[in-house]
PDB file of all heavy atoms in Angstrom:
ATOM      1  N   GLY A 361     -83.608  45.131 -74.995  1.00  0.00           N
ATOM      2  CA  GLY A 361     -83.660  46.548 -75.314  1.00  0.00           C
ATOM      3  C   GLY A 361     -82.385  47.273 -74.934  1.00  0.00           C
ATOM      4  O   GLY A 361     -81.923  48.167 -75.659  1.00  0.00           O
ATOM      5  N   ALA A 362     -81.800  46.902 -73.789  1.00  0.00           N
ATOM      6  CA  ALA A 362     -80.555  47.532 -73.351  1.00  0.00           C
ATOM      7  C   ALA A 362     -79.413  47.214 -74.310  1.00  0.00           C
ATOM      8  O   ALA A 362     -78.617  48.087 -74.680  1.00  0.00           O
ATOM      9  CB  ALA A 362     -80.204  47.066 -71.941  1.00  0.00           C
ATOM     10  N   ALA A 363     -79.320  45.948 -74.733  1.00  0.00           N
ATOM     11  CA  ALA A 363     -78.263  45.557 -75.675  1.00  0.00           C
ATOM     12  C   ALA A 363     -78.435  46.269 -77.005  1.00  0.00           C
ATOM     13  O   ALA A 363     -77.455  46.762 -77.597  1.00  0.00           O
ATOM     14  CB  ALA A 363     -78.287  44.041 -75.874  1.00  0.00           C
ATOM     15  N   ALA A 364     -79.670  46.330 -77.500  1.00  0.00           N
ATOM     16  CA  ALA A 364     -79.929  47.019 -78.763  1.00  0.00           C
ATOM     17  C   ALA A 364     -79.573  48.497 -78.658  1.00  0.00           C
ATOM     18  O   ALA A 364     -78.988  49.075 -79.587  1.00  0.00           O
ATOM     19  CB  ALA A 364     -81.398  46.848 -79.154  1.00  0.00           C
ATOM     20  N   SER A 365     -79.907  49.108 -77.530  1.00  0.00           N
ATOM     21  CA  SER A 365     -79.618  50.532 -77.335  1.00  0.00           C
ATOM     22  C   SER A 365     -78.121  50.791 -77.270  1.00  0.00           C
ATOM     23  O   SER A 365     -77.614  51.723 -77.909  1.00  0.00           O
ATOM     24  CB  SER A 365     -80.282  51.034 -76.048  1.00  0.00           C
ATOM     25  OG  SER A 365     -81.671  50.826 -76.085  1.00  0.00           O
ATOM     26  N   ALA A 366     -77.406  49.979 -76.485  1.00  0.00           N
ATOM     27  CA  ALA A 366     -75.963  50.164 -76.339  1.00  0.00           C
ATOM     28  C   ALA A 366     -75.255  49.981 -77.675  1.00  0.00           C
ATOM     29  O   ALA A 366     -74.393  50.785 -78.062  1.00  0.00           O
ATOM     30  CB  ALA A 366     -75.408  49.189 -75.305  1.00  0.00           C
ATOM     31  N   GLY A 367     -75.620  48.919 -78.398  1.00  0.00           N
ATOM     32  CA  GLY A 367     -75.009  48.696 -79.698  1.00  0.00           C
ATOM     33  C   GLY A 367     -75.367  49.789 -80.680  1.00  0.00           C
ATOM     34  O   GLY A 367     -74.512  50.248 -81.459  1.00  0.00           O
ATOM     35  N   GLY A 368     -76.613  50.244 -80.655  1.00  0.00           N
ATOM     36  CA  GLY A 368     -77.055  51.271 -81.583  1.00  0.00           C
ATOM     37  C   GLY A 368     -76.360  52.601 -81.350  1.00  0.00           C
ATOM     38  O   GLY A 368     -75.903  53.258 -82.298  1.00  0.00           O
ATOM     39  N   VAL A 369     -76.265  53.028 -80.096  1.00  0.00           N
ATOM     40  CA  VAL A 369     -75.607  54.304 -79.796  1.00  0.00           C
ATOM     41  C   VAL A 369     -74.128  54.232 -80.150  1.00  0.00           C
ATOM     42  O   VAL A 369     -73.566  55.172 -80.730  1.00  0.00           O
ATOM     43  CB  VAL A 369     -75.799  54.678 -78.314  1.00  0.00           C
ATOM     44  CG1 VAL A 369     -74.955  55.893 -77.955  1.00  0.00           C
ATOM     45  CG2 VAL A 369     -77.270  54.965 -78.025  1.00  0.00           C
ATOM     46  N   ALA A 370     -73.486  53.109 -79.832  1.00  0.00           N
ATOM     47  CA  ALA A 370     -72.065  52.961 -80.171  1.00  0.00           C
ATOM     48  C   ALA A 370     -71.856  52.999 -81.678  1.00  0.00           C
ATOM     49  O   ALA A 370     -70.880  53.585 -82.171  1.00  0.00           O
ATOM     50  CB  ALA A 370     -71.536  51.653 -79.592  1.00  0.00           C
ATOM     51  N   LEU A 371     -72.763  52.398 -82.420  1.00  0.00           N
ATOM     52  CA  LEU A 371     -72.649  52.389 -83.877  1.00  0.00           C
ATOM     53  C   LEU A 371     -72.764  53.802 -84.446  1.00  0.00           C
ATOM     54  O   LEU A 371     -72.143  54.130 -85.462  1.00  0.00           O
ATOM     55  CB  LEU A 371     -73.726  51.487 -84.471  1.00  0.00           C
ATOM     56  CG  LEU A 371     -73.717  51.258 -85.982  1.00  0.00           C
ATOM     57  CD1 LEU A 371     -72.382  50.707 -86.436  1.00  0.00           C
ATOM     58  CD2 LEU A 371     -74.847  50.314 -86.381  1.00  0.00           C
ATOM     59  N   LEU A 372     -73.540  54.641 -83.792  1.00  0.00           N
ATOM     60  CA  LEU A 372     -73.688  56.029 -84.237  1.00  0.00           C
ATOM     61  C   LEU A 372     -72.448  56.866 -83.919  1.00  0.00           C
ATOM     62  O   LEU A 372     -72.220  57.898 -84.550  1.00  0.00           O
ATOM     63  CB  LEU A 372     -74.914  56.660 -83.579  1.00  0.00           C
ATOM     64  CG  LEU A 372     -76.276  56.088 -83.999  1.00  0.00           C
ATOM     65  CD1 LEU A 372     -77.381  56.663 -83.125  1.00  0.00           C
ATOM     66  CD2 LEU A 372     -76.554  56.386 -85.466  1.00  0.00           C
ATOM     67  N   LEU A 373     -71.655  56.430 -82.938  1.00  0.00           N
ATOM     68  CA  LEU A 373     -70.532  57.239 -82.475  1.00  0.00           C
ATOM     69  C   LEU A 373     -69.175  56.758 -82.971  1.00  0.00           C
ATOM     70  O   LEU A 373     -68.240  57.553 -83.081  1.00  0.00           O
ATOM     71  CB  LEU A 373     -70.515  57.268 -80.939  1.00  0.00           C
ATOM     72  CG  LEU A 373     -71.728  57.899 -80.249  1.00  0.00           C
ATOM     73  CD1 LEU A 373     -71.590  57.780 -78.741  1.00  0.00           C
ATOM     74  CD2 LEU A 373     -71.894  59.354 -80.654  1.00  0.00           C
ATOM     75  N   VAL A 374     -69.059  55.468 -83.235  1.00  0.00           N
ATOM     76  CA  VAL A 374     -67.753  54.886 -83.571  1.00  0.00           C
ATOM     77  C   VAL A 374     -67.636  54.711 -85.087  1.00  0.00           C
ATOM     78  O   VAL A 374     -68.517  54.105 -85.703  1.00  0.00           O
ATOM     79  CB  VAL A 374     -67.558  53.534 -82.866  1.00  0.00           C
ATOM     80  CG1 VAL A 374     -66.232  52.904 -83.265  1.00  0.00           C
ATOM     81  CG2 VAL A 374     -67.635  53.720 -81.353  1.00  0.00           C
ATOM     82  N   PRO A 375     -66.577  55.199 -85.690  1.00  0.00           N
ATOM     83  CA  PRO A 375     -66.432  55.091 -87.144  1.00  0.00           C
ATOM     84  C   PRO A 375     -65.791  53.779 -87.587  1.00  0.00           C
ATOM     85  O   PRO A 375     -65.120  53.100 -86.810  1.00  0.00           O
ATOM     86  CB  PRO A 375     -65.505  56.271 -87.474  1.00  0.00           C
ATOM     87  CG  PRO A 375     -64.635  56.388 -86.255  1.00  0.00           C
ATOM     88  CD  PRO A 375     -65.511  56.019 -85.088  1.00  0.00           C
TER      89      PRO A 375
END
Side-chain angles (χ1 to χ4, degrees):
S365 302
V369 172
L371 184 56
L372 293 172
L373 298 177
V374 177

